Amino acid sequence: MSQPGSRPDPRPDGGRARELLARKWAYLLSGVAVIPLAVEELEHELREQIDALCAAAASDPVDTAAAERVGDHVVGLGYVGEDGLRRTVEVLGKGLPALPGFQRAEQAALVIGALAAGFLVANRRVVFEQQERMQLSLLKAVRDAKWHLKESEARFDSVVTSSASGIMIVGLDGRLVRTNAAVAEILGRTPAELTGATLFDLVHPDTVGMLREAMRAVAEGGQDRVRQSQRLLRKDGDVARISLTASLLRDPDGAPSHFVAVVEDGTELMLLQSELHRQALHDVLTGLPNRQFFGTHLESAVRRADPVHGVTLLHLDLDGFGMVCDSLGWLAGERLLVHVAQQLKSVLAREKAMVARFDGDEFGILVENTATTPNTAALAAAINRALAEPVYVDGHGLAVSASMGVVRGVSRNQEPAELLRAADQALRRARRGRRGQWELFDPGRDTADRSALARAVAMPGAWEQGEFTVRYRPVVRLADGGVAGAEAVLRWDRRDGRLPHERCVALAERTGFILPLGEWLLTIAAGQVRWWQRDASAVPLSVALTAHQATDADLVSRVVRVLDATGLPADRLAVAVPSAVVTAPDVADNLGVLAEMGVRTALRDLALGPDDVAAVRDLGVHSVRVAARLVELQSRADAAYVGALLPALAETGAVIGVDGVVTEEQAAWWREAGAELGTGPLFGPDHSAAGFHARLRR
């Protein structure tokens, strides 16, 4: 959101936002650093570095090397120092996540961490260069020590004592000759306690051998200096992580005399890197592990799972969370999320479990099962009981329920990504028309669902390859068996078999492909019926729409395009929409406009309830079609109920049809009950265009 008084950024790459961030960075940096650049020059330099950070974040994976080079460049601008790094991390930590290039929180964390590392490496290099120059002065002081001992000690004190870096003069045997106050502070000792001690006794036993070998190589001329990350033992027993550089000092005759060692305390850098790492793996709002951390933990937990009890993975989605945010605002929603996180942790407190926040109002729970772990039903019930306890936000008592997908007792060989997908699929099934429910992952059902999804997503390519054809289903008069119309239907001729119309539209409905596919069906069928009109054998064309098509805001435009392209008169076309969606937005408007154009409208899949009769009367449709599932009546009571409602439908003036007629007995019963038209296997199969035309001419 732009600040009050600011102009929206017209550039898609966030150019204005980058300029503002560079200006703020330059302002804060100039207050704590000495940089020999004008304000405009500094802003230009920093804008280029922000562009480089955005490019690094856009890489996959994040280009940390490029971010490190930015840190190196900042050091090269002048004397920046620790305060400059602190200001840099503060301003970029707040500004970078708002730029278009940073789509995930971990991008900013990784980029800023790499920048800080590059900054410190470059700063250390500058210190090393200063140290080398210092070594020349120290060498001269040591050479003159035989004649001017007091003078050399004074020079050492003036150069070394005030240095923020730890400096030690070390004998060839490793014994400390002199140290400054910085070394003593790092080790928690006094300079007097260090003088005469052995450097190797202060180094952690795990790495002391590495330091001995390196210093021996320098003394023997095998290398110029020692540069190592080391751990020094403090007086209080803790370990100080430092960076150590040691160079050799020689006497006036050129023989090795002493080592001068410079120590940089790396504790602050380690803490900074540790904090950035923690932020990259945890949700900022709730403090819970994020999806990335959860996935890594899931992998290790599955590998070490009890072979008998396994693990339980739950994917949770809060019911009604969007209503809270829409009505009370995002701040209330965030406070509710924090409450949910606390409640989930409380419920799982006695289990070996991890609770994580994925995205938005989704959470993940992993329980490493034991013999005492509650079963899934008990665990889900406990979670929803805890979430049902309201938390008061601005005087509103808020509570939610959670829908859950569950995977339990998994194999050690299963991949974490597959387990998370399985839990997500189970969650989707749990949420279908319900709230506060849980669903256990069913491998068999999942296999069938994945097969159906694979077919659904393959439909556009199959259509492009010509695997779909239009067939024509007879609409028959029940009174005399004559053909009263043609219903256009689909058939998919796959290599593994044919899929009928009902299966095709169900799959296309899942992906939204039903819109272009349905328009294509209508175009082909309308053109065919228009061609049949040449020999006066044409019958009206009927098309059954799906729920997605019925609510399509462009439905009228699609029908107009088809009628204009094919020349089919509007009164020769009938469109039927599902009765279940007549109350949805746009459906009534679509039917009204089509009726005004002359297109005949219908309601299909009627369940023959009182609401259906009212809908037929209110919408003024031309015809209705009873659902195929009602054709085979299950009892005399059903028959009596349906028989009583059909006259009420007939009073509306709508023509009554029935779908799915299989036997002569069914046809006779519905004819006597008042139905005029019928479709179904009794009246023949779906025909090709030529086959249907031949039937018309018989």
Side-chain angles (χ1 to χ4, degrees):
M1 180 178 294
S2 60
Q3 298 297 324
S6 66
R7 295 176 298 172
D9 193 345
R11 287 170 285 184
D13 64 343
R16 178 171 174 77
R18 298 186 188 186
E19 292 173 359
L20 293 175
L21 182 58
R23 186 172 302 164
K24 183 175 182 180
W25 188 8
Y27 172 78
L28 294 177
L29 197 59
S30 61
V32 296
V34 179
I35 300 176
L37 293 176
V39 174
E40 294 78 11
E41 294 175 333
L42 180 58
E43 288 180 6
H44 178 74
E45 285 285 341
L46 297 183
R47 166 60 197 271
E48 291 181 348
Q49 302 315 307
I50 291 175
D51 290 344
L53 293 176
C54 291
S59 300
D60 188 13
V62 172
D63 188 354
T64 54
E68 290 180 4
R69 290 193 292 272
V70 171
D72 185 290
H73 186 83
V74 172
V75 172
L77 294 176
Y79 181 77
V80 180
E82 296 177 0
D83 288 340
L85 175 59
R86 187 175 295 107
R87 292 290 189 274
T88 296
V89 171
E90 288 176 356
V91 71
L92 296 185
K94 296 178 181 178
L96 288 182
L99 297 181
F102 291 82
Q103 301 174 354
R104 302 185 307 277
E106 59 266 31
Q107 287 178 297
L110 292 172
V111 165
I112 295 174
L115 180 148
F119 184 101
L120 292 173
V121 169
N123 194 54
R124 186 180 303 135
R125 184 179 63 248
V126 171
V127 172
F128 289 159
E129 293 171 355
Q130 295 173 347
Q131 292 168 1
E132 290 177 355
R133 291 192 296 269
M134 187 186 303
Q135 290 170 15
L136 295 176
S137 299
L138 293 174
L139 177 60
K140 186 176 186 302
V142 172
R143 288 176 177 176
D144 294 340
K146 294 181 179 179
W147 301 278
H148 306 287
L149 180 58
K150 292 183 178 180
E151 182 181 353
S152 66
E153 289 177 350
R155 182 174 300 169
F156 179 86
D157 289 339
S158 64
V159 174
V160 174
T161 302
S162 61
S163 174
S165 300
I167 299 177
M168 300 180 289
I169 301 297
V170 185
L172 298 179
D173 59 355
R175 195 166 299 278
L176 302 181
V177 177
R178 290 290 303 275
T179 61
N180 68 349
V183 172
E185 183 178 354
I186 292 173
L187 296 177
R189 305 170 188 267
T190 65
E193 290 176 326
L194 292 175
T195 302
T198 302
L199 174 61
F200 303 125
D201 292 337
L202 301 175
V203 177
H204 195 280
D206 292 345
T207 57
V208 68
M210 179 176 62
L211 180 60
R212 285 181 184 273
E213 292 298 325
M215 293 181 66
R216 182 181 299 112
V218 171
E220 295 174 354
Q223 61 187 62
D224 295 335
R225 62 179 60 85
V226 178
R227 287 183 178 177
Q228 293 182 355
S229 294
Q230 280 289 352
R231 290 176 291 170
L232 299 184
L233 303 176
R234 290 174 50 85
K235 185 176 182 179
D236 57 11
D238 288 343
V239 174
R241 298 180 179 274
I242 57 94
S243 175
L244 182 144
T245 302
S247 300
L248 188 64
L249 297 177
R250 299 181 180 273
D251 62 19
D253 298 328
S257 172
H258 296 82
F259 288 98
V260 58
V262 179
V263 174
E264 292 285 344
D265 190 352
T267 303
E268 290 188 8
L269 176 60
M270 294 291 294
L271 292 175
L272 175 61
Q273 291 177 335
S274 177
E275 176 60 19
L276 292 174
H277 180 71
R278 190 198 68 80
Q279 292 181 12
L281 296 177
H282 287 76
D283 173 51
V284 177
L285 177 64
T286 63
L288 295 177
N290 59 17
R291 183 186 289 270
Q292 179 183 355
F293 191 4
F294 188 84
T296 302
H297 178 74
L298 174 61
E299 182 175 9
S300 60
V302 169
R303 299 294 181 266
R304 65 172 180 264
D306 186 298
V308 175
H309 303 289
V311 302
T312 298
L313 172 63
L314 299 93
H315 187 176
L316 283 71
D317 187 82
L318 302 183
D319 304 320
F321 178 74
M323 297 173 59
V324 173
C325 295
D326 292 343
S327 59
L328 302 180
W330 276 104
L331 181 60
E334 289 180 347
R335 293 176 64 180
L336 179 59
L337 289 175
V338 172
H339 169 72
V340 168
Q342 294 170 346
Q343 293 295 87
L344 293 178
K345 290 170 65 177
S346 176
V347 171
L348 278 302
R350 296 185 178 182
E351 302 295 332
K352 187 177 182 181
M354 172 182 279
V355 180
R357 182 188 176 199
F358 287 173
D359 302 294
D361 60 341
E362 295 184 25
F363 292 82
I365 297 176
L366 177 65
V367 182
E368 299 183 43
N369 297 329
T370 65
T372 61
T373 300
N375 58 40
T376 303
L379 191 59
I383 290 173
N384 272 321
R385 279 197 304 271
L387 297 184
E389 297 180 9
V391 57
Y392 286 87
V393 177
D394 298 332
H396 301 280
L398 306 179
V400 292
S401 61
S403 298
M404 291 168 254
V406 183
V407 181
R408 188 178 175 96
V410 298
S411 166
R412 292 185 177 183
N413 297 324
Q414 288 184 276
E415 293 297 325
E418 179 62 22
L419 294 175
L420 290 170
R421 188 203 66 81
D424 181 67
Q425 291 299 315
L427 172 61
R428 290 170 184 259
R429 288 194 291 272
R431 286 182 58 85
R432 288 176 185 169
R434 302 179 296 171
R435 293 293 182 267
Q437 303 298 310
W438 62 274
E439 183 87 13
L440 189 64
F441 176 70
D442 182 350
R445 186 175 180 182
D446 180 66
T447 300
D449 286 349
R450 295 183 73 173
S451 177
L453 289 174
R455 288 182 174 183
V457 299
M459 293 186 84
W463 177 50
E464 185 76 18
Q465 295 297 322
E467 296 181 13
F468 284 90
T469 56
V470 178
R471 313 290 287 185
Y472 299 88
R473 181 172 296 170
V475 180
V476 175
R477 291 185 297 272
L478 295 179
D480 59 10
V483 177
E487 181 178 356
V489 295
L490 291 166
R491 190 174 77 182
W492 186 0
D493 296 314
R494 291 172 51 87
R495 294 179 181 178
D496 57 354
R498 292 174 176 173
L499 291 185
H501 173 77
E502 290 72 20
R503 186 60 177 153
C504 289
V505 296
L507 292 174
E509 184 83 343
R510 299 181 72 169
T511 63
F513 185 61
I514 189 63
L515 296 182
L517 186 62
E519 185 174 348
W520 173 80
L521 167 70
L522 181 57
T523 302
I524 298 299
Q528 186 64 59
V529 173
R530 182 73 178 86
W531 185 82
W532 286 338
Q533 286 181 344
R534 296 188 308 171
D535 59 5
S537 61
V539 292
L541 172 64
S542 175
V543 177
L545 304 182
T546 67
H548 197 172
Q549 290 175 286
T551 57
D552 179 20
D554 292 330
L555 174 62
V556 174
S557 299
R558 295 179 190 274
V559 173
V560 170
R561 283 199 299 268
V562 171
L563 296 180
D564 289 344
T566 62
L568 181 71
D571 61 358
R572 305 298 289 172
L573 173 64
V575 295
V577 303
S579 62
V581 300
V582 293
T583 58
D586 295 330
V587 174
D589 290 342
N590 284 339
L591 290 176
V593 175
L594 290 175
E596 291 176 0
M597 292 168 48
V599 176
R600 303 184 69 81
T601 57
L603 292 185
R604 66 181 185 88
D605 290 336
L606 260 70
L608 294 180
D611 290 342
D612 289 334
V613 177
V616 172
R617 184 180 296 110
D618 294 342
L619 295 174
V621 296
H622 299 89
S623 61
V624 296
R625 294 168 58 174
V626 178
R629 65 182 180 275
L630 295 181
V631 172
E632 184 64 43
L633 299 178
Q634 300 299 316
S635 67
R636 292 183 180 180
D638 292 333
Y641 174 73
V642 172
L645 282 175
L646 285 181
L649 279 176
E651 290 177 0
T652 67
V655 176
I656 301 173
V658 59
D659 292 328
V661 179
V662 178
T663 66
E664 290 286 357
E665 291 76 10
Q666 293 171 352
W669 190 93
W670 284 98
R671 182 176 62 250
E672 293 297 325
E676 300 179 39
L677 303 176
T679 65
L682 176 64
F683 308 116
D686 300 339
H687 296 281
S688 65
F692 192 86
H693 188 222
R695 177 169 178 173
L696 289 176
R697 301 184 65 181
R698 286 204 298 264

